Amino acid sequence: MGTPEFPDLGKHCNVDDCRQIDFLPFTCDRCNKVFCLEHRSYTKHLCPNANQQDVTVLVCPLCAKGVRLVPNEDPNITWESHVNCDCDPSNYQKATKKKRCPVPGCKELLTFSNTLRCRDCTKEHCLKHRFGPDHKCPGPKKQDSGFRFVGLLNRSQKRESPSNNCSNGSSWWGSSLLTAASNLRASAEAGMQKLSDATTQALQRAKDGTAPSSSGGALVEQCTQCPARFSTVSALIEHAEKSHQRNTQPVHSRVMIDVCPKCSRGFRDPVLLVEHVERDHGGSSTA
C-alpha cells in the first residue's frame, strides 16, 4: 500500500463489505472512521453518531415556544421538563395573533416595513391602503371650539334628564346654569374686546407719531374709559390692564348668585354649583 516515496498513502474503507483501498479517503467527523468515496455519507456507512450535532425544535401547542430536543435524551422527558418549568400559556396569544390591515377584505400582515399610520384617523394600514380614499378615512376629528362650561353643563343635564323628567326644579336648575354660563362668556368676550380696542388705538397713535418723545414729559395719551392721561403708550396699556380689565364685566354678572335647589347654598361660579350637586347630592337636583 502506497509508494516508496509515500508509504502511508491510501487506507482501507471501514465498511466490512467494501474494504476498498482509497488513496484519498474521507474521515467521518462523527465517528472518526475512514471511508471511501462511495461510503463517505452518514447514511451509506450507517454512522451511529449521525444525529449527535443535529438541532431539532418542536413548537409547544400551549405557549407557542420552541422546545429543543436534547440528543441522547428521551423526548418525553424533555417535554415534561418544559411543561413544568418554562411553559406559559399566556404567551400563545402574543405569538400567534398577528396584526393585519383593518380594511375589510385585506389580509395583509402589518410588519415593520409595510406599515404606515394615517395622520387623520391615526390607524395603521398596509402600503396598498395607505391613502385616505383607499381605507375610507373619515378625516381629522373636529376640535370643539365651543365654551367649555357650556359643554360641561350640557353633559350634566343629559345625565340627569332621564331620572328627572317630571321635576320642575331640574329644568329650572339646568336653564339657570346655562344662562349664567352664557352671561359669563359674553362678559369675558366684551372685556377682552374693549381691552383689545384700547391697545390698538394706543399702538396706532404711536405709529402716527402722536406719542411724545423720550425727552418730553407731556401727557398726550388719554385713556378711552377714564379721564386719565399718560406720557407713554406703555403706561397707558399698563393702566388699562390694571384698572379696566376687571371692570368690563356687567354689573348683573358680578353679583349673580346661583342657589342650589337641594340645600339653598349660593354659588357665584356655575361650575362650582355643578361640582357641589354631583359631590354632595349624588348628581340629583330635585328638592
Side-chain angles (χ1 to χ4, degrees):
M1 186 171 56
T3 62
E5 293 80 5
F6 302 97
D8 296 332
L9 183 63
K11 292 182 181 181
H12 288 278
C13 179
N14 281 275
V15 178
D16 296 336
D17 297 338
C18 180
R19 304 300 295 176
Q20 179 182 358
I21 297 177
D22 198 331
F23 291 98
L24 294 175
F26 296 88
T27 302
C28 180
D29 59 347
R30 303 294 171 86
C31 61
N32 296 323
K33 293 182 180 181
V34 178
F35 299 95
C36 63
L37 177 63
E38 183 180 357
H39 299 98
R40 71 183 187 278
S41 62
Y42 302 140
T43 57
K44 290 294 184 179
H45 66 267
L46 302 177
C47 184
N49 301 328
N51 60 348
Q52 185 177 4
Q53 298 181 3
D54 292 345
V55 178
T56 304
V57 178
L58 300 178
V59 179
C60 178
L62 301 178
C63 62
K65 292 183 179 179
V67 181
R68 180 176 178 178
L69 299 182
V70 182
N72 300 328
E73 185 180 54
D74 189 0
N76 295 325
I77 299 177
T78 305
W79 172 258
E80 185 177 358
S81 176
H82 164 72
V83 172
N84 295 333
C85 300
D86 300 333
C87 188
D88 184 12
S90 62
N91 186 62
Y92 185 82
Q93 293 293 336
K94 299 178 182 179
T96 58
K97 188 177 180 181
K98 303 297 183 180
K99 197 172 183 180
R100 299 180 181 272
C101 182
V103 176
C106 182
K107 299 181 180 180
E108 184 72 19
L109 291 176
L110 297 181
T111 59
F112 176 78
S113 59
N114 70 335
T115 303
L116 288 177
R117 184 182 297 273
C118 181
R119 296 182 179 179
D120 296 334
C121 61
T122 65
K123 293 183 179 180
E124 294 182 349
H125 300 84
C126 62
L127 296 178
K128 183 179 179 181
H129 302 97
R130 63 185 182 275
F131 297 110
D134 296 334
H135 62 266
K136 297 181 181 180
C137 182
K141 296 182 180 180
K142 296 182 180 179
Q143 298 180 357
D144 187 10
S145 59
F147 198 50
R148 292 184 178 179
F149 296 149
V150 176
L152 177 61
L153 296 175
N154 290 335
R155 291 194 298 270
S156 301
Q157 187 178 9
K158 289 180 180 178
R159 288 197 300 265
E160 297 185 1
S161 58
S163 59
N164 300 327
N165 288 331
C166 300
S167 177
N168 295 329
S170 176
S171 59
W172 170 83
W173 176 71
S175 60
S176 62
L177 289 182
L178 288 176
T179 303
S182 301
N183 294 336
L184 181 61
R185 179 184 180 184
S187 61
E189 292 179 351
M192 294 300 296
Q193 184 64 30
K194 289 183 179 180
L195 179 60
S196 177
D197 294 342
T199 305
T200 304
Q201 293 178 5
L203 293 177
Q204 186 64 31
R205 290 180 181 178
K207 291 181 180 180
D208 296 340
T210 56
S213 60
S214 58
S215 60
L219 302 178
V220 296
E221 298 296 336
Q222 183 176 1
C223 181
T224 58
Q225 301 186 22
C226 66
R229 301 177 68 87
F230 302 89
S231 60
T232 61
V233 179
S234 61
L236 174 61
I237 295 176
E238 183 178 1
H239 164 73
E241 291 178 352
K242 291 183 178 180
S243 302
H244 302 296
Q245 185 175 4
R246 297 182 179 179
N247 298 330
T248 55
Q249 299 181 358
V251 177
H252 62 86
S253 64
R254 296 199 306 269
V255 299
M256 179 177 296
I257 299 177
D258 296 309
V259 181
C260 177
K262 187 73 176 180
C263 60
S264 301
R265 184 179 175 182
F267 296 87
R268 293 180 178 272
D269 192 352
V271 178
L272 297 178
L273 176 57
V274 174
E275 295 179 353
H276 163 70
V277 173
E278 293 180 351
R279 181 179 63 254
D280 298 337
H281 304 299
S284 175
S285 61
T286 57

